[in-house]
Amino acid sequence: MAAATTGFITLPDNVRLAYSQSGPPTGPNIVFIPGWIQTAAQFHKQVSHFQTRFRVTTYDHRGHGDSDKPAFGYRVPRLAADLDALLNQLDLRAVTLVGHSMGASVIWAHRDLFPRTRIAKVVFVDQARTLVSQPTWSDEQKLQAGGSFSADALYETVALLTGPGGDEVRKQFARRFYSEGVDEEEFEWAARQSAKAPNEVAAKMMLGHAMHDWGDVFPRFDVPVLVISAKGSLLPVESGEWIVGQVGKNARQVVFEKEEGGSHFMFFENPEKFNRILEEFLDE
């Protein structure tokens, strides 16, 4: 097996994205896309598993991890353009995109904006079509949409992130996305990874992510879709069911129980089950 390759691609706006590739160069391509203020390193339990058979690519969004941290571009469509540049510059073909949380939204924006000739399959990991509920929605509509914020609550959180004590706000906010039984050392390591994104970036990216409603994108997916949800997540399982229904026959959902590390970060807390499910999907 070839050694892991790390480097940077340079985007058209001169921002550099850090990326890593491992596994056989001729293996089937997987690209893991991290979520809000997450880093590529947080997929290390997937990389170590899949690199035996697959060509695995991970990368850090602008403002995150080891990528450049410009003062601009913190909107999901911009991140989708960054993803498209990565696919083209690395010449990745027949790719399976695996997007966690905001990373799934990046896939949705990419489907909305760019040709999909390089994409073979997609995986959406615990992300709802929007994060902000509309006040006129019924309880059922809120479950299906998955929105966990009101608009006021979103702006309050953004203000806290950039105010005094923003670091602690981020850490306590993050803890809500892990199960009660998460290993404390692993949580602290993940928190240090997230801290690579400055508070200003975290705030801008939350606003640039949460307000979108991607509901009209799903019927246009014509490749196999796997939706992974978790009963211990803040996002309702029903929001994943709704996405599957919108995609249609090409889609299916897998649900992690709360007792089996079924948090927002189920791929981190229960990598054995996550990797098995993903590998089965890849081999279909």
Side-chain angles (χ1 to χ4, degrees):
M1 185 186 306
T5 300
T6 60
F8 293 86
I9 66 162
T10 301
L11 302 171
D13 58 4
N14 293 319
V15 173
R16 299 185 312 151
L17 296 188
Y19 75 91
S20 176
Q21 290 185 299
S22 58
T26 58
N29 283 300
I30 313 175
V31 176
F32 288 96
I33 307 171
W36 175 74
I37 67 171
Q38 307 306 309
T39 71
Q42 287 166 275
F43 288 116
H44 68 89
K45 297 178 183 179
Q46 283 64 57
V47 173
S48 62
H49 176 83
F50 286 101
Q51 67 182 353
T52 58
R53 292 178 49 209
F54 296 86
R55 186 62 167 171
V56 182
T57 302
T58 59
Y59 73 101
D60 292 326
H61 298 297
R62 64 175 61 215
H64 297 60
D66 296 327
S67 291
D68 287 351
K69 297 170 176 62
F72 55 87
Y74 298 109
R75 293 169 290 275
V76 171
R78 175 69 257 182
L79 300 190
D82 296 348
L83 168 62
D84 199 63
L86 179 93
L87 297 175
N88 282 282
Q89 290 191 37
L90 298 181
D91 195 24
L92 303 180
R93 300 175 184 272
V95 178
T96 296
L97 298 176
V98 182
H100 171 241
S101 192
M102 185 185 74
S105 297
V106 173
I107 298 174
W108 304 340
H110 187 270
R111 172 62 188 83
D112 199 35
L113 295 171
F114 295 97
R116 56 197 182 278
T117 53
R118 294 180 181 269
I119 311 304
K121 297 181 179 183
V122 292
V123 182
F124 312 146
V125 183
D126 205 42
Q127 177 61 22
R129 81 180 214 214
T130 185
L131 296 184
V132 175
S133 290
Q134 300 209 14
T136 58
W137 284 346
S138 67
D139 289 343
E140 182 181 8
Q141 287 174 314
K142 289 177 182 178
L143 278 176
Q144 292 174 340
S148 56
F149 282 111
S150 67
D152 286 346
L154 173 64
Y155 281 100
E156 288 170 7
T157 301
V158 168
L160 289 171
L161 285 169
T162 53
D167 292 343
E168 186 60 26
V169 169
R170 283 163 51 127
K171 195 169 183 179
Q172 293 306 314
F173 187 73
R175 194 171 282 279
R176 299 167 61 198
F177 292 97
Y178 291 86
S179 68
E180 292 181 1
V182 65
D183 180 272
E184 192 62 24
E185 288 187 9
E186 290 206 328
F187 174 80
E188 292 294 339
W189 175 85
R192 290 192 296 273
Q193 291 296 310
S194 296
K196 293 183 178 182
N199 288 347
E200 293 78 10
V201 169
K204 289 178 181 178
M205 198 68 256
M206 180 173 282
L207 277 180
H209 162 43
M211 298 294 284
H212 286 284
D213 187 335
W214 298 103
D216 63 354
V217 172
F218 304 113
R220 289 183 278 152
F221 276 96
D222 54 4
V223 298
V225 173
L226 176 63
V227 176
I228 301 179
S229 305
K231 290 187 177 179
S233 172
L234 296 178
L235 300 175
V237 170
E238 290 85 352
S239 64
E241 293 175 358
W242 186 87
I243 290 172
V244 168
Q246 294 298 303
V247 175
K249 63 180 180 180
N250 284 332
R252 62 183 176 89
Q253 181 187 33
V254 174
V255 176
F256 278 67
E257 298 295 328
K258 187 174 181 179
E259 296 76 18
E260 55 183 357
S263 73
H264 187 56
F265 286 91
M266 84 294 287
F267 67 93
F268 190 72
E269 295 196 57
N270 190 349
E272 293 80 11
K273 178 175 179 176
F274 183 92
N275 294 344
R276 174 175 53 80
I277 290 168
L278 178 54
E279 191 157 19
E280 290 171 356
F281 178 66
L282 292 166
D283 287 340
E284 289 175 357

